[in-house]
Amino acid sequence: MRRDEVFKGYKTSPSPRQGQAIVGVAQGAKKPSKAVQDKPRSADGRFTDNLDGTVTDAATGRMWTQKDSFTDLKHCVNWEAGHDYVLQLRTGGYNDWRLPTIEEVSALYDRSKSLKDYKGIGIALDPIFTEGGPFWYWTSHKNDFLGFRQAAIVNFRQFEVYKSHWRKECKDHIGARAVRP
């Protein structure tokens, strides 16, 4: 499914074109302080490593955990376990972590970048994040239609949005990446 298509009523944005960088400051965001400017940044300048296990995205103003659940726990998680995982996080001293929406996690997808997943295969994610994670990520979008509990997952090897049963045993390639406001 393309990013500009609809997933059960959730509109998503088109994926960036190959080599297209998304750099800028989110509307209403303050200019980074000198302390932020001195922190390590991604090659295109979009992401800042906050040196506390978090990464700030200048394009959206959102903060992400540098590690995902897979690299942290060393195993995959189903939706419920991923949801619980992000809610208990205290990374960077923050306690308001959550699962991202389809649109939020999709905004991290960039075909011009490559980070090795747990199998050593490149995924379209900036290498400022910790390598060795999954290539599918859970989102906050779920439904319980006629008893079929499903949640949206996003594939970072080839951009796809799917739905998966959120209580079933996880496969070895699904994890949760936390975001905060």
Side-chain angles (χ1 to χ4, degrees):
M1 173 180 265
R2 291 186 6 220
R3 192 188 296 192
D4 57 349
E5 294 176 346
V6 176
F7 170 80
K8 289 288 182 190
Y10 299 108
K11 182 87 173 146
T12 58
S13 313
S15 61
R17 294 187 185 126
Q18 179 107 17
Q20 176 185 6
I22 302 173
V23 182
V25 177
Q27 185 175 0
K30 295 178 182 174
K31 184 178 177 185
S33 67
K34 179 155 175 42
V36 170
Q37 293 171 355
D38 291 341
K39 293 178 182 175
R41 296 182 64 81
S42 58
D44 64 3
R46 176 178 172 185
F47 297 101
T48 301
D49 179 347
N50 297 314
L51 304 174
D52 61 0
T54 68
V55 173
T56 299
D57 182 350
T60 65
R62 299 212 188 300
M63 184 179 286
W64 296 86
T65 53
Q66 201 160 27
K67 285 185 174 184
D68 54 50
S69 63
F70 194 98
T71 56
D72 190 20
L73 303 173
K74 309 297 185 231
H75 61 80
C76 68
V77 292
N78 63 19
W79 188 91
E80 288 179 318
H83 181 259
D84 292 345
Y85 168 81
V86 299
L87 291 180
Q88 62 79 34
L89 285 175
R90 299 296 177 262
T91 306
Y94 300 98
N95 64 2
D96 56 351
W97 296 102
R98 60 181 173 78
L99 282 175
T101 64
I102 295 170
E103 192 146 296
E104 288 169 337
V105 76
S106 297
L108 296 177
Y109 183 90
D110 186 338
R111 288 180 289 183
S112 71
K113 297 180 180 180
S114 184
L115 177 72
K116 297 215 182 292
D117 69 11
Y118 74 103
K119 286 189 171 181
I121 299 170
I123 61 173
L125 188 60
D126 196 288
I128 201 160
F129 293 100
T130 304
E131 70 177 21
F135 59 94
W136 286 97
Y137 286 102
W138 289 111
T139 72
S140 60
H141 294 292
K142 66 179 186 129
N143 64 35
D144 190 0
F145 182 71
L146 299 175
F148 295 101
R149 294 183 171 132
Q150 298 178 329
I153 53 176
V154 178
N155 181 330
F156 272 75
R157 281 195 186 154
Q158 54 201 27
F159 186 81
E160 297 172 302
V161 178
Y162 280 104
K163 52 192 173 205
S164 181
H165 192 279
W166 56 277
R167 280 198 173 169
K168 92 176 181 181
E169 294 301 314
C170 63
K171 302 205 180 216
D172 62 353
H173 54 265
I174 305 175
R177 182 168 298 282
V179 66
R180 57 178 301 275

